[in-house]
Amino acid sequence: MKRMTAILLAALLLCTGTALAAQWREGTGPSQPYQGAPEIDLSQQMGYMMFFPSEQMPVENECERLYIYLPREDVHVGEGTFYLCTDRGEVWETEMTDPDAVIERPINESELDGLLWGGGTCFEIRLSRSLKLGETYFVNLTGGSIVSEDGVQSPQIGGTDQWRFTLAGDYGVSEMAYLRAEGDETVEVESPQPGDEIRFDLVLGGDAAWALLYEYNDSADFLETMFEESCEVTGQVTGDQLVWGVLFMDAEGNELHRTEFW
């Protein structure tokens, strides 16, 4: 109940005027995704936009993807720019039209269940470097980054508090990046290939006493796979279908958290 109250609150706060087998509940729809929320004229405004993570819906332990949800299906990426910032300045940017960084897709069933929506569109932002544990971020998004089939453009998302979030937790994967050598330079890439390096800070603390790295289909190689203290971890991408993860355990060997990358 607390989670859904937070989602509804976020929807009301972030109205900026969005498939699947799920059905809209009576009295709701793309222009009014929650009962009691103001109805939006979608021919004139973009409508409701939901951001994850956010201060209302935080994320813990690891985060390499950010999400924009709209309860309408007639929208697509526009000619806009996405800026990820901290209080110290901009740390990453991408054009919304970059297919390696921005994935446009229908909202999946589990997401729809959480949002209590009957359909919509998700814009999945794949960061070149995962968030730093304990760091607070905010997003600036230029106007026109999302457009409807009728030509309605999304407004600018700006400032330090409109889309703000912190990667929380006593343990986790911090600042994971895929690195590729290009001449004399090393660059971060969103779509890793065999030969690229995997690098991240493994943070142990709180109830997490140790961590275990694993991979599928020989797609990644790590010199060490079991850790009992925080450290920098490096590995190599070895397969085309990359899937690997980190399992965090307490001192008794009980699983606390599992995070996977693909």
Side-chain angles (χ1 to χ4, degrees):
M1 178 62 71
K2 289 183 178 179
R3 173 176 172 80
M4 294 319 305
T5 300
I7 290 175
L8 177 56
L9 176 62
L12 294 174
L13 291 176
L14 296 173
C15 173
T16 58
T18 186
L20 296 172
Q23 298 294 315
W24 285 103
R25 291 164 173 76
E26 184 177 359
T28 67
S31 63
Q32 190 178 19
Y34 298 104
Q35 291 184 348
E39 186 170 4
I40 303 298
D41 183 352
L42 298 183
S43 69
Q44 301 297 318
Q45 299 182 53
M46 183 55 60
Y48 289 88
M49 299 174 67
M50 296 282 289
F51 305 134
F52 181 81
S54 67
E55 289 188 314
Q56 294 86 6
M57 295 178 289
V59 65
E60 296 185 353
N61 307 120
E62 185 278 329
C63 181
E64 63 164 340
R65 303 187 185 200
L66 310 178
Y67 301 87
I68 304 171
Y69 297 104
L70 292 91
R72 56 188 298 182
E73 303 167 12
D74 61 335
V75 289
H76 306 284
V77 293
E79 298 291 337
T81 307
F82 180 102
Y83 299 95
L84 180 67
C85 308
T86 70
D87 291 336
R88 297 185 303 278
E90 179 188 320
V91 296
W92 183 73
E93 70 175 79
T94 186
E95 296 303 312
M96 290 291 288
T97 52
D98 182 352
D100 288 333
V102 181
I103 300 171
E104 175 187 324
R105 60 172 175 81
I107 301 177
N108 64 44
E109 290 289 349
S110 63
E111 292 167 327
L112 289 174
D113 287 343
L115 291 163
L116 298 179
W117 290 357
T121 304
C122 173
F123 297 89
E124 186 174 320
I125 315 299
R126 301 174 58 184
L127 305 175
S128 66
R129 178 181 294 264
S130 72
L131 301 184
K132 182 178 181 179
L133 200 66
E135 184 76 86
T136 297
Y137 298 86
F138 59 92
V139 170
N140 287 327
L141 191 64
T142 60
S145 291
I146 299 172
V147 296
S148 74
E149 294 176 358
D150 292 336
V152 176
Q153 297 189 354
S154 62
Q156 178 178 343
I157 305 301
T160 61
D161 58 359
Q162 194 165 7
W163 184 3
R164 186 179 182 90
F165 49 88
T166 301
L167 178 59
D170 296 322
Y171 62 89
V173 173
S174 181
E175 294 193 287
M176 191 282 294
Y178 299 110
L179 306 176
R180 180 178 302 163
E182 292 187 351
D184 296 331
E185 297 183 350
T186 299
V187 298
E188 298 176 359
V189 295
E190 289 90 14
S191 299
Q193 299 175 2
D196 292 342
E197 183 183 45
I198 305 169
R199 196 224 68 85
F200 63 93
D201 290 328
L202 178 69
V203 180
L204 291 173
D207 293 331
W210 56 282
L212 176 68
L213 273 63
Y214 61 91
E215 53 81 29
Y216 295 105
N217 304 318
D218 296 321
S219 61
D221 180 51
F222 299 94
L223 292 178
E224 295 183 60
T225 57
M226 186 175 293
F227 302 87
E228 296 182 355
E229 59 184 23
S230 301
C231 62
E232 180 183 73
V233 178
T234 59
Q236 188 175 49
V237 179
T238 56
D240 293 324
Q241 301 298 320
L242 178 63
V243 182
W244 64 279
V246 184
L247 177 63
F248 293 92
M249 311 289 285
D250 66 15
E252 287 72 43
N254 300 306
E255 179 177 337
L256 295 173
H257 180 77
R258 182 191 302 256
T259 185
E260 289 193 344
F261 301 87
W262 63 90

